[in-house]
Amino acid sequence: MIETIYIEENILQHPRVIDICARFPKARQITCGRYGEVFNPKAQNFRIQKQQPALILAEKYRGFMLKAPPNYGIGAEHNYYFSHMLNCLYDCRYCFLQGMYQSANYVLFVNYEDYYTDMQRLCAETPDEAVHFFSGYDCDSLTLEPVTDFAREFLPVIRSIPNAWMELRTKSTQVRHLLDTPAFERCIVAFSFTPDEIARALEHKAPAISKRLDALNKLQQQGWPIGLRFDPIIYEDNYQQHYQDLFKTVFAKINPETLHSVSLGVFRLPDKYFKKIHKLYPEEKLFASPLESKQGMMSYKTVLEDEMMGFCTKELLRYIPEEKFFPCSL
């Protein structure tokens, strides 16, 4: 899977680097000063690199836990997001990462311990209040788990901090470690879904909806708190029927009574990301939808956005109580 590994020279002897390199004995190893030398140059083609991304092993120096936007969260007051990794194995056409970054290569920050320290610091500031940490913003939380051991290493830390909560956002079926680990209420495994027809057209390389549901079901049966993330809602002429079918399929497979939370949000991209992605994929039908720019964000026209959110909200509330529902707004 990985043919080339770039390694920052100051972490060549880091135990995590040595372990990862041992898993890919045939991969070409190239030393660099800082990961930006490989990741940031402008003369790169995201679309071409996506065919065979390299792995870049790096050290992060700051910005471990970032304050989440005001409308981001699942009910808690203290919300932070973080990225142990940049870029994703999957190739979803609506993903903002291809507009944010010059490179499709994966960057893995190996100094997990510095993330732990920042989590502990933030939780100590409000010891009597829950602090939520969201993983999966700049990557999929679990898809490269066999390489990164991310969940394996972070979960014991979350368990050890009484007021720490974590969400693992994913489309992945890489849940073996979770199934081998005792579940606990302060870790939510949140699966993203779009209707099957849309997923087949736009979520390239991602597991089929049926496989995600199988993984979700296994985790729920073992006691893991499960989240459902219907985000982004994608418009098409027959979107009402497709989302009705999706909700029916999902809630027929899971137990809604033990569901932790459900979120809903429409397609949106910063204008500059949209322009870049549209240039990469000018033939993509998604970008020919009835879109408009609002406050620097490209999304559906307001009337259509309100219609879609209203329709999907009404349908979802047929299956879940309102207190478990968290709509996202721009």
Side-chain angles (χ1 to χ4, degrees), residues 153-222:
E153 299 207 32
F154 271 72
L155 287 184
V157 177
I158 297 297
R159 284 182 190 270
S160 71
I161 308 173
N163 61 325
W165 293 67
M166 185 162 70
E167 177 182 293
L168 302 173
R169 180 75 65 93
T170 189
K171 293 185 179 79
S172 177
T173 58
Q174 293 284 359
V175 297
R176 181 178 302 173
H177 172 67
L178 298 180
L179 294 174
D180 291 338
T181 304
F184 69 109
E185 65 172 357
R186 291 184 289 108
C187 179
I188 300 98
V189 189
F191 284 83
S192 298
F193 291 99
T194 55
D196 197 48
E197 297 81 1
I198 296 173
R200 288 199 302 268
L202 299 179
E203 296 180 354
H204 306 290
K205 300 182 181 179
I209 300 301
S210 59
K211 292 185 178 180
R212 293 180 221 176
L213 281 171
D214 286 341
L216 184 158
N217 196 4
K218 291 176 182 176
L219 289 169
Q220 192 176 45
Q221 289 180 2
Q222 192 166 306

Coordinates of all heavy atoms in Angstrom, one line a residue, residues 153-222:
E153 N -3.7 3.7 20.9 CA -2.9 4.4 21.8 C -3.7 5.6 22.5 O -3.3 5.9 23.6 CB -1.7 5.0 21.1 CG -0.8 3.8 20.5 CD 0.6 4.2 20.4 OE1 1.1 5.1 21.2 OE2 1.3 3.8 19.5
F154 N -4.6 6.2 21.8 CA -5.3 7.3 22.4 C -6.4 6.9 23.4 O -6.7 7.6 24.4 CB -6.0 8.2 21.3 CG -5.0 9.2 20.8 CD1 -4.0 8.9 20.0 CD2 -5.3 10.6 21.1 CE1 -3.1 9.9 19.5 CE2 -4.4 11.6 20.6 CZ -3.3 11.2 19.8
L155 N -7.1 5.8 23.2 CA -8.2 5.4 24.0 C -7.8 5.2 25.5 O -8.5 5.7 26.4 CB -8.9 4.1 23.5 CG -9.7 4.3 22.2 CD1 -10.4 3.0 21.9 CD2 -10.7 5.4 22.4
P156 N -6.7 4.6 25.8 CA -6.3 4.5 27.2 C -6.1 5.9 27.9 O -6.4 6.0 29.1 CB -5.0 3.7 27.2 CG -5.0 2.9 26.0 CD -5.7 3.8 25.0
V157 N -5.7 6.9 27.1 CA -5.5 8.2 27.7 C -6.9 8.8 28.0 O -7.1 9.4 29.1 CB -4.7 9.1 26.7 CG1 -4.6 10.5 27.2 CG2 -3.4 8.5 26.4
I158 N -7.8 8.7 27.1 CA -9.2 9.2 27.3 C -9.8 8.5 28.5 O -10.4 9.1 29.4 CB -10.0 9.0 26.1 CG1 -9.5 9.8 24.9 CG2 -11.5 9.4 26.4 CD1 -9.5 11.3 25.1
R159 N -9.6 7.2 28.6 CA -10.1 6.5 29.8 C -9.6 7.0 31.1 O -10.3 7.0 32.1 CB -9.8 5.0 29.7 CG -10.5 4.2 28.7 CD -10.1 2.7 28.8 NE -10.6 1.9 27.7 CZ -11.7 1.2 27.8 NH1 -12.4 1.2 28.9 NH2 -12.1 0.4 26.8
S160 N -8.3 7.4 31.1 CA -7.6 7.8 32.3 C -8.0 9.2 32.8 O -7.7 9.6 33.9 CB -6.1 7.7 32.1 OG -5.6 8.8 31.3
I161 N -8.7 10.0 31.9 CA -9.0 11.4 32.3 C -10.6 11.4 32.5 O -11.3 11.3 31.6 CB -8.7 12.4 31.2 CG1 -7.2 12.2 30.8 CG2 -8.9 13.8 31.6 CD1 -6.8 13.1 29.6
P162 N -11.0 11.6 33.8 CA -12.4 11.4 34.1 C -13.4 12.2 33.3 O -14.5 11.8 33.1 CB -12.5 11.7 35.6 CG -11.1 11.5 36.1 CD -10.2 11.9 35.0
N163 N -13.0 13.4 32.9 CA -13.9 14.3 32.2 C -13.6 14.5 30.7 O -14.2 15.4 30.1 CB -13.9 15.7 32.9 CG -12.6 16.4 32.8 OD1 -11.5 15.8 32.9 ND2 -12.6 17.7 32.7
A164 N -12.8 13.6 30.2 CA -12.5 13.6 28.7 C -13.4 12.7 27.9 O -13.7 11.6 28.3 CB -11.1 13.2 28.5
W165 N -13.9 13.2 26.8 CA -14.7 12.5 25.9 C -14.1 12.6 24.5 O -13.5 13.6 24.2 CB -16.2 13.1 25.8 CG -17.0 12.9 27.0 CD1 -16.8 13.5 28.2 CD2 -18.2 12.1 27.1 NE1 -17.8 13.1 29.1 CE2 -18.6 12.3 28.5 CE3 -18.9 11.3 26.3 CZ2 -19.8 11.6 29.0 CZ3 -20.0 10.7 26.7 CH2 -20.5 10.8 28.1
M166 N -14.2 11.6 23.7 CA -13.7 11.6 22.4 C -14.6 11.1 21.3 O -15.3 10.1 21.6 CB -12.3 10.9 22.3 CG -11.7 11.0 20.9 SD -9.9 10.6 20.9 CE -10.0 8.8 21.1
E167 N -14.7 11.7 20.2 CA -15.5 11.2 19.1 C -14.5 10.7 18.0 O -13.6 11.5 17.6 CB -16.4 12.2 18.5 CG -17.2 11.7 17.2 CD -18.1 12.7 16.6 OE1 -19.1 13.0 17.2 OE2 -17.8 13.1 15.4
L168 N -14.7 9.5 17.5 CA -13.9 9.0 16.4 C -14.8 9.0 15.1 O -15.7 8.3 15.0 CB -13.5 7.5 16.6 CG -12.7 7.3 17.9 CD1 -12.5 5.8 18.1 CD2 -11.3 7.9 17.7
R169 N -14.6 10.0 14.2 CA -15.4 10.2 13.0 C -14.8 9.3 11.9 O -13.6 9.4 11.6 CB -15.4 11.6 12.6 CG -16.2 11.9 11.3 CD -17.7 11.9 11.6 NE -18.1 12.9 12.5 CZ -18.6 14.1 12.1 NH1 -18.6 14.4 10.8 NH2 -19.0 15.0 13.0
T170 N -15.6 8.5 11.3 CA -15.1 7.5 10.3 C -16.1 7.0 9.3 O -17.3 7.1 9.5 CB -14.5 6.3 11.1 OG1 -13.8 5.4 10.2 CG2 -15.7 5.5 11.8
K171 N -15.6 6.5 8.2 CA -16.4 5.7 7.2 C -15.8 4.3 7.2 O -16.2 3.5 6.4 CB -16.3 6.3 5.8 CG -17.0 7.7 5.6 CD -17.0 8.1 4.2 CE -17.6 9.4 3.9 NZ -16.8 10.5 4.3
S172 N -14.8 4.0 8.0 CA -14.0 2.8 7.9 C -14.7 1.6 8.6 O -15.5 1.8 9.5 CB -12.7 3.1 8.6 OG -11.9 2.0 8.6
T173 N -14.2 0.5 8.2 CA -14.6 -0.8 8.8 C -13.4 -1.3 9.7 O -13.5 -2.5 10.1 CB -15.0 -1.8 7.8 OG1 -13.9 -2.0 6.9 CG2 -16.2 -1.4 7.0
Q174 N -12.4 -0.5 9.9 CA -11.2 -0.9 10.6 C -11.5 -0.8 12.1 O -11.0 0.1 12.8 CB -10.0 -0.1 10.3 CG -9.5 -0.3 8.8 CD -8.7 -1.6 8.7 OE1 -8.5 -2.4 9.7 NE2 -8.2 -1.9 7.5
V175 N -12.3 -1.7 12.6 CA -12.8 -1.6 14.0 C -12.3 -2.8 14.9 O -12.8 -3.0 16.0 CB -14.3 -1.5 14.1 CG1 -14.8 -0.2 13.4 CG2 -15.0 -2.7 13.4
R176 N -11.4 -3.5 14.3 CA -11.0 -4.7 15.1 C -10.5 -4.4 16.5 O -10.8 -5.1 17.4 CB -9.9 -5.5 14.3 CG -9.4 -6.8 14.9 CD -8.3 -7.4 14.0 NE -8.8 -7.7 12.7 CZ -8.1 -8.2 11.7 NH1 -6.8 -8.4 11.9 NH2 -8.6 -8.4 10.5
H177 N -9.6 -3.4 16.6 CA -9.1 -3.1 17.9 C -10.2 -2.7 18.9 O -10.2 -3.1 20.0 CB -8.1 -1.9 17.8 CG -7.7 -1.5 19.2 ND1 -6.9 -2.3 20.1 CD2 -7.9 -0.3 19.9 CE1 -6.7 -1.6 21.2 NE2 -7.3 -0.4 21.1
L178 N -11.2 -1.9 18.4 CA -12.3 -1.6 19.3 C -13.1 -2.8 19.7 O -13.5 -2.9 20.9 CB -13.3 -0.6 18.5 CG -12.6 0.8 18.1 CD1 -13.7 1.6 17.4 CD2 -12.1 1.5 19.3
L179 N -13.3 -3.7 18.8 CA -14.0 -4.9 19.2 C -13.2 -5.8 20.1 O -13.8 -6.6 20.9 CB -14.3 -5.7 17.9 CG -15.3 -5.1 16.9 CD1 -15.5 -5.9 15.7 CD2 -16.7 -4.9 17.6
D180 N -11.9 -5.6 20.2 CA -11.1 -6.4 21.1 C -10.9 -5.6 22.4 O -10.1 -6.1 23.3 CB -9.7 -6.7 20.5 CG -9.8 -7.7 19.3 OD1 -10.8 -8.4 19.3 OD2 -8.9 -7.7 18.5
T181 N -11.5 -4.5 22.6 CA -11.3 -3.6 23.7 C -12.6 -3.4 24.4 O -13.7 -3.2 23.8 CB -10.8 -2.2 23.2 OG1 -9.6 -2.4 22.5 CG2 -10.5 -1.3 24.4
P182 N -12.7 -3.4 25.8 CA -13.9 -3.1 26.5 C -14.4 -1.7 26.1 O -13.7 -0.7 26.1 CB -13.5 -3.2 27.9 CG -12.3 -4.0 28.0 CD -11.5 -3.7 26.7
A183 N -15.7 -1.7 25.8 CA -16.3 -0.4 25.4 C -16.4 0.5 26.7 O -16.5 0.0 27.8 CB -17.7 -0.6 24.9
F184 N -16.5 1.8 26.4 CA -16.7 2.8 27.5 C -17.5 4.0 27.0 O -17.3 4.3 25.8 CB -15.5 3.1 28.3 CG -14.5 4.0 27.6 CD1 -14.3 5.3 27.9 CD2 -13.7 3.5 26.5 CE1 -13.4 6.1 27.2 CE2 -12.8 4.2 25.9 CZ -12.6 5.6 26.2
E185 N -18.3 4.6 27.8 CA -19.3 5.5 27.4 C -18.7 6.8 26.9 O -19.4 7.6 26.1 CB -20.3 5.9 28.5 CG -19.6 6.6 29.7 CD -20.7 7.1 30.7 OE1 -21.9 6.9 30.4 OE2 -20.3 7.6 31.8
R186 N -17.5 7.1 27.2 CA -16.9 8.4 26.8 C -16.1 8.4 25.5 O -15.4 9.3 25.2 CB -16.0 8.9 28.0 CG -16.8 9.3 29.2 CD -15.9 9.9 30.3 NE -15.0 8.9 30.9 CZ -13.7 8.9 30.8 NH1 -13.1 9.7 30.0 NH2 -13.0 7.9 31.4
C187 N -16.3 7.4 24.7 CA -15.8 7.3 23.4 C -16.9 7.0 22.4 O -17.5 5.9 22.4 CB -14.6 6.3 23.2 SG -14.0 6.2 21.6
I188 N -17.2 8.0 21.5 CA -18.3 7.8 20.6 C -17.7 7.4 19.2 O -16.8 8.2 18.7 CB -19.2 9.0 20.4 CG1 -19.8 9.4 21.8 CG2 -20.2 8.9 19.4 CD1 -19.1 10.4 22.6
V189 N -18.1 6.4 18.6 CA -17.7 6.0 17.3 C -18.8 6.5 16.3 O -19.9 6.0 16.3 CB -17.5 4.5 17.1 CG1 -16.8 4.2 15.8 CG2 -16.6 3.9 18.3
A190 N -18.4 7.5 15.5 CA -19.4 8.2 14.7 C -19.2 7.9 13.2 O -18.2 8.2 12.7 CB -19.4 9.7 15.0
F191 N -20.2 7.2 12.6 CA -20.1 6.8 11.2 C -20.8 7.8 10.3 O -21.9 8.2 10.6 CB -20.7 5.4 11.0 CG -19.9 4.3 11.5 CD1 -19.9 3.9 12.9 CD2 -19.1 3.6 10.6 CE1 -19.1 2.9 13.3 CE2 -18.3 2.5 11.1 CZ -18.3 2.2 12.4
S192 N -20.1 8.2 9.2 CA -20.7 9.1 8.3 C -21.4 8.3 7.2 O -20.9 7.3 6.7 CB -19.6 9.9 7.6 OG -19.0 10.7 8.6
F193 N -22.6 8.8 6.8 CA -23.4 8.1 5.7 C -24.0 9.1 4.7 O -24.4 10.2 5.1 CB -24.6 7.3 6.4 CG -24.2 6.1 7.2 CD1 -24.1 6.2 8.6 CD2 -23.9 4.9 6.6 CE1 -23.8 5.1 9.3 CE2 -23.6 3.8 7.3 CZ -23.5 3.9 8.7
T194 N -24.0 8.7 3.5 CA -24.8 9.3 2.4 C -25.6 8.2 1.8 O -25.3 7.0 1.9 CB -24.0 10.0 1.4 OG1 -23.0 9.1 0.8 CG2 -23.2 11.2 2.0
P195 N -26.7 8.5 1.0 CA -27.4 7.5 0.3 C -26.5 6.6 -0.6 O -25.5 7.1 -1.1 CB -28.5 8.2 -0.5 CG -28.7 9.5 0.3 CD -27.3 9.8 0.9
D196 N -26.9 5.4 -0.7 CA -26.1 4.4 -1.4 C -25.7 4.9 -2.8 O -24.6 4.8 -3.3 CB -26.8 3.1 -1.5 CG -25.8 1.9 -1.9 OD1 -24.7 1.9 -1.3 OD2 -26.2 1.2 -2.8
E197 N -26.7 5.5 -3.5 CA -26.5 5.9 -4.9 C -25.4 7.1 -4.9 O -24.6 7.1 -5.8 CB -27.8 6.5 -5.5 CG -28.9 5.4 -5.7 CD -29.6 5.1 -4.4 OE1 -29.3 5.8 -3.3 OE2 -30.5 4.2 -4.4
I198 N -25.5 8.0 -3.9 CA -24.5 9.1 -3.9 C -23.2 8.6 -3.4 O -22.2 9.0 -4.0 CB -25.1 10.1 -2.9 CG1 -26.4 10.7 -3.5 CG2 -24.0 11.2 -2.7 CD1 -27.1 11.7 -2.5
A199 N -23.2 7.6 -2.5 CA -21.9 7.1 -2.0 C -21.1 6.4 -3.1 O -19.9 6.6 -3.3 CB -22.1 6.1 -0.9
R200 N -21.8 5.6 -4.0 CA -21.2 5.0 -5.1 C -20.6 5.9 -6.1 O -19.5 5.7 -6.7 CB -22.1 4.0 -5.8 CG -22.5 2.8 -5.0 CD -23.1 1.7 -5.9 NE -24.3 2.1 -6.6 CZ -25.5 1.9 -6.1 NH1 -25.7 1.4 -4.9 NH2 -26.5 2.4 -6.8
A201 N -21.3 7.1 -6.3 CA -20.8 8.1 -7.2 C -19.7 9.0 -6.7 O -18.8 9.4 -7.5 CB -22.0 8.9 -7.7
L202 N -19.7 9.3 -5.4 CA -18.9 10.3 -4.9 C -17.8 9.9 -3.8 O -16.8 10.5 -3.6 CB -19.7 11.4 -4.3 CG -20.7 12.2 -5.2 CD1 -21.5 13.2 -4.4 CD2 -19.9 12.8 -6.4
E203 N -18.1 8.7 -3.2 CA -17.2 8.3 -2.1 C -16.3 7.2 -2.5 O -16.4 6.1 -2.1 CB -18.0 7.9 -0.8 CG -18.9 9.1 -0.3 CD -19.7 8.7 0.9 OE1 -19.8 7.5 1.3 OE2 -20.3 9.6 1.5
H204 N -15.4 7.6 -3.4 CA -14.5 6.6 -4.0 C -13.6 6.0 -3.0 O -13.0 6.7 -2.1 CB -13.7 7.2 -5.1 CG -14.5 7.9 -6.2 ND1 -15.3 7.2 -7.0 CD2 -14.7 9.2 -6.4 CE1 -16.0 8.1 -7.8 NE2 -15.6 9.3 -7.5
K205 N -13.4 4.7 -3.0 CA -12.5 3.9 -2.2 C -13.1 3.7 -0.8 O -12.5 2.9 0.0 CB -11.1 4.6 -2.0 CG -10.3 4.7 -3.3 CD -9.0 5.3 -3.1 CE -8.2 5.5 -4.4 NZ -6.9 6.1 -4.2
A206 N -14.2 4.4 -0.4 CA -14.8 4.2 0.9 C -15.6 2.9 0.9 O -16.1 2.5 -0.1 CB -15.6 5.4 1.3
P207 N -15.7 2.2 2.1 CA -16.5 1.0 2.2 C -18.0 1.3 1.8 O -18.5 2.4 2.1 CB -16.4 0.6 3.7 CG -15.1 1.3 4.1 CD -15.0 2.5 3.4
A208 N -18.6 0.3 1.3 CA -20.0 0.4 1.0 C -20.8 0.6 2.2 O -20.4 0.3 3.3 CB -20.5 -0.9 0.3
I209 N -22.0 1.3 2.0 CA -22.9 1.5 3.2 C -23.2 0.3 4.0 O -23.2 0.3 5.2 CB -24.2 2.2 2.7 CG1 -23.9 3.5 1.9 CG2 -25.2 2.4 3.8 CD1 -23.3 4.5 2.7
S210 N -23.4 -0.8 3.3 CA -23.8 -2.1 4.0 C -22.6 -2.5 4.9 O -22.8 -3.0 6.0 CB -24.1 -3.2 3.0 OG -23.0 -3.4 2.1
K211 N -21.4 -2.3 4.4 CA -20.2 -2.7 5.3 C -20.0 -1.8 6.5 O -19.7 -2.3 7.5 CB -19.0 -2.8 4.4 CG -19.0 -3.9 3.4 CD -17.7 -4.0 2.6 CE -17.7 -5.1 1.6 NZ -16.4 -5.2 0.8
R212 N -20.3 -0.5 6.3 CA -20.2 0.4 7.4 C -21.3 0.0 8.5 O -21.0 0.0 9.7 CB -20.5 1.8 6.9 CG -19.4 2.4 6.1 CD -19.7 3.8 5.7 NE -19.4 4.1 4.2 CZ -19.6 5.2 3.6 NH1 -20.2 6.2 4.2 NH2 -19.3 5.3 2.3
L213 N -22.5 -0.3 8.0 CA -23.5 -0.7 8.9 C -23.2 -2.0 9.7 O -23.5 -2.1 10.8 CB -24.8 -0.9 8.2 CG -25.6 0.4 7.8 CD1 -26.7 0.2 6.9 CD2 -26.0 1.1 9.1
D214 N -22.5 -2.9 9.0 CA -22.1 -4.2 9.7 C -21.1 -3.8 10.8 O -21.2 -4.4 11.9 CB -21.5 -5.1 8.7 CG -22.5 -5.8 7.8 OD1 -23.7 -5.8 8.1 OD2 -22.1 -6.3 6.7
A215 N -20.1 -3.0 10.5 CA -19.2 -2.6 11.5 C -19.8 -1.9 12.7 O -19.6 -2.1 13.8 CB -18.1 -1.7 10.9
L216 N -20.7 -0.9 12.3 CA -21.5 -0.2 13.4 C -22.3 -1.1 14.3 O -22.3 -1.0 15.5 CB -22.4 0.8 12.6 CG -23.2 1.8 13.5 CD1 -23.6 3.0 12.6 CD2 -24.5 1.2 14.0
N217 N -22.9 -2.1 13.6 CA -23.8 -3.0 14.4 C -22.9 -3.8 15.4 O -23.3 -4.0 16.5 CB -24.5 -3.9 13.4 CG -25.7 -4.6 14.0 OD1 -26.0 -4.4 15.2 ND2 -26.3 -5.5 13.3
K218 N -21.8 -4.3 14.9 CA -20.9 -5.1 15.8 C -20.5 -4.3 17.0 O -20.5 -4.7 18.1 CB -19.7 -5.6 15.0 CG -20.0 -6.7 14.0 CD -18.8 -7.0 13.2 CE -19.1 -8.1 12.1 NZ -17.9 -8.4 11.3
L219 N -20.1 -3.0 16.7 CA -19.7 -2.1 17.8 C -20.8 -1.8 18.8 O -20.6 -1.9 20.0 CB -19.1 -0.8 17.3 CG -17.8 -0.9 16.5 CD1 -17.5 0.4 15.8 CD2 -16.7 -1.2 17.5
Q220 N -22.0 -1.6 18.3 CA -23.1 -1.3 19.1 C -23.5 -2.5 20.0 O -23.8 -2.4 21.2 CB -24.3 -0.8 18.3 CG -25.5 -0.3 19.1 CD -26.6 0.3 18.3 OE1 -27.0 -0.3 17.4 NE2 -27.1 1.5 18.7
Q221 N -23.5 -3.7 19.4 CA -23.8 -4.9 20.2 C -22.8 -5.1 21.3 O -23.1 -5.7 22.3 CB -23.8 -6.1 19.3 CG -25.0 -6.1 18.3 CD -24.9 -7.4 17.4 OE1 -24.1 -8.2 17.5 NE2 -25.9 -7.5 16.5
Q222 N -21.6 -4.6 21.1 CA -20.5 -4.8 22.2 C -20.6 -3.6 23.2 O -19.9 -3.6 24.2 CB -19.1 -4.8 21.6 CG -18.1 -5.3 22.5 CD -16.8 -5.7 21.8 OE1 -16.8 -6.5 20.9 NE2 -15.7 -5.0 22.2

